[in-house]
Amino acid sequence: MASMISVGLVLSAGGLHGAAFHAGSLGALADATGWDPRTADVIVGTSAGAATAVALRAGLAATDLAARYAGEPLSEEGQAIVDRVTTPFDLPGPARPSVPWRPARPTLLLRELLGSGRPRPVVALAGLLPEGTVDGSSIADRAGQIHPEPWPELPTWICAVDLDNGRRVVFGRDDVEADIGSAIHASSAVPGYLAPVSVNGNRYVDGGSHSTTNADLLAALSLDLVVVCSSMTAVQAESAWPDGPIGRAWHSRTLRREVQRIRAKGTAVLVLQQTADDLAVRTDDNMDGGDRSAMADVCAAARTSTRARLAHPDSSVAQRILGQVATDTDR
């Protein structure tokens, strides 16, 4: 029986660390509450979070996501899904430019300086950086293999940024046709590193340029609960600047604003983000897929910090809602 309670899930950018963080957080959340993230009424995915979103929508359970990083056996169903992916994840280092350095879209800086909205420094940076040259098509291939259908049946919103005008584009929601592989590829095209992705004549780059979470997209939906899994922000004590990196402070502040917008609509929000223990296990290289032990550590730390977060009294509403959804689904 389908539940009448509505739950949205937000999965942030964050590279390989982000994917491991999502796996650990969602695995712990599923274990603790019985809620299955695959059943979220809508999922918003950005970059690494977009890849996790498509894995969930393909049917890969959160517990199997976590088991992959922990080196534990997957369920029979999960192993069958994982075995569909035959393209290796092996992105080379940045290629040496063959032409003099030039900005990919310098007018984006002017748009951000002169625009009336809140400034988006990463969008401006995306325009100032040279166009990425590394081929990231393996990302599209892997997404298409794990999810062979053109698009998931349940609402799945994948965020990217149009490199020519700086606007956020939401594949799966906006009137832009794309298959799931192209959308994940576009959402993951890190400016200055991976080549922009062309879809219907438009060039797209990483949706994290607009926001690493893009949680504000769910504010207008009047859901009962939004779960935000954010691997590029941190709890208040670890997100202050100049004590920590300015990027983390900026992304954390952006997420707080997005959460305020959602809560203003009467929706409960559960935020799972980095603690001091999560940050302590991070390595410098966030794109080295060969260091499986480092990713296992990130996943394990996320599992622990999520359990601690759920033990806090202000998580009781979210726990009650997720538990009710799990009960309704099992009926």
Side-chain angles (χ1 to χ4, degrees):
M1 174 180 174
S3 174
M4 298 300 292
I5 302 171
S6 54
V7 179
L9 175 61
V10 175
L11 299 168
S12 77
L16 297 179
H17 285 161
F21 182 86
H22 296 329
S25 298
L26 295 178
L29 189 62
D31 285 338
T33 66
W35 177 65
D36 187 345
R38 294 175 295 186
T39 67
D41 293 275
V42 57
I43 300 180
V44 175
T46 303
S47 197
T52 301
V54 74
L56 291 170
R57 291 310 201 202
L60 194 62
T63 48
D64 281 328
L65 282 172
R68 290 186 71 193
Y69 286 97
E72 300 168 354
L74 275 63
S75 68
E76 186 176 341
E77 176 191 28
Q79 191 62 55
I81 294 170
V82 169
D83 287 345
R84 293 203 293 253
V85 181
T86 56
T87 300
F89 182 82
D90 185 21
L91 294 179
R96 194 179 194 83
S98 57
V99 296
W101 181 90
R102 78 181 84 170
R105 192 66 172 175
T107 54
L108 292 186
L109 175 61
L110 293 176
R111 287 176 182 269
E112 293 306 310
L113 288 175
L114 302 177
S116 58
R118 187 168 181 255
R120 299 172 301 162
V122 186
V123 170
L125 180 61
L128 290 176
L129 287 170
E131 206 173 277
T133 56
V134 172
D135 177 17
S137 58
S138 64
I139 297 172
D141 293 341
R142 290 171 61 87
Q145 289 161 1
I146 200 169
H147 194 290
E149 294 79 21
W151 203 266
E153 290 185 11
L154 291 173
T156 306
W157 296 354
I158 305 301
C159 303
V161 167
D162 188 317
L163 183 58
D164 293 312
N165 58 33
R167 293 176 186 154
R168 175 173 63 185
V169 174
V170 185
F171 296 107
R173 185 202 70 165
D174 297 349
D175 187 19
V176 181
E177 286 192 23
D179 60 74
I180 194 68
S182 297
I184 303 301
H185 186 190
S187 182
S188 306
V190 179
Y193 172 43
L194 295 181
V197 179
S198 179
V199 179
N200 300 324
N202 294 88
R203 299 183 302 160
Y204 296 101
V205 294
D206 197 316
S209 302
H210 176 87
S211 163
T212 60
T213 42
N214 291 291
D216 60 299
L217 291 170
L218 298 184
L221 299 188
S222 298
L223 301 167
D224 292 293
L225 172 67
V226 169
V227 176
V228 180
C229 189
S230 176
S231 75
M232 293 186 70
T233 63
V235 296
Q236 190 83 31
E238 302 297 330
S239 61
W241 184 81
D243 297 330
I246 190 170
R248 187 194 305 153
W250 177 267
H251 299 320
S252 298
R253 185 182 179 200
T254 298
L255 176 57
R256 286 195 292 272
R257 289 171 179 264
E258 293 173 350
V259 168
Q260 286 172 358
R261 288 185 61 182
I262 298 170
R263 286 180 171 148
K265 299 293 185 178
T267 297
V269 182
L270 173 65
V271 178
L272 306 174
Q273 59 186 332
Q274 297 179 106
T275 65
D277 290 339
D278 290 300
L279 293 168
V281 300
R282 295 267 171 148
T283 58
D284 292 334
D285 192 348
N286 195 15
M287 297 304 289
D288 182 7
D291 192 352
R292 297 197 62 83
S293 64
M295 296 304 108
D297 289 344
V298 171
C299 180
R303 270 176 153 171
T304 301
S305 63
T306 296
R307 292 189 192 104
R309 180 73 183 86
L310 292 173
H312 196 282
D314 67 8
S315 298
S316 60
V317 172
Q319 286 210 69
R320 176 179 55 77
I321 291 173
L322 293 176
Q324 186 60 56
V325 173
T327 300
D328 293 346
T329 303
D330 289 340
R331 284 178 183 169

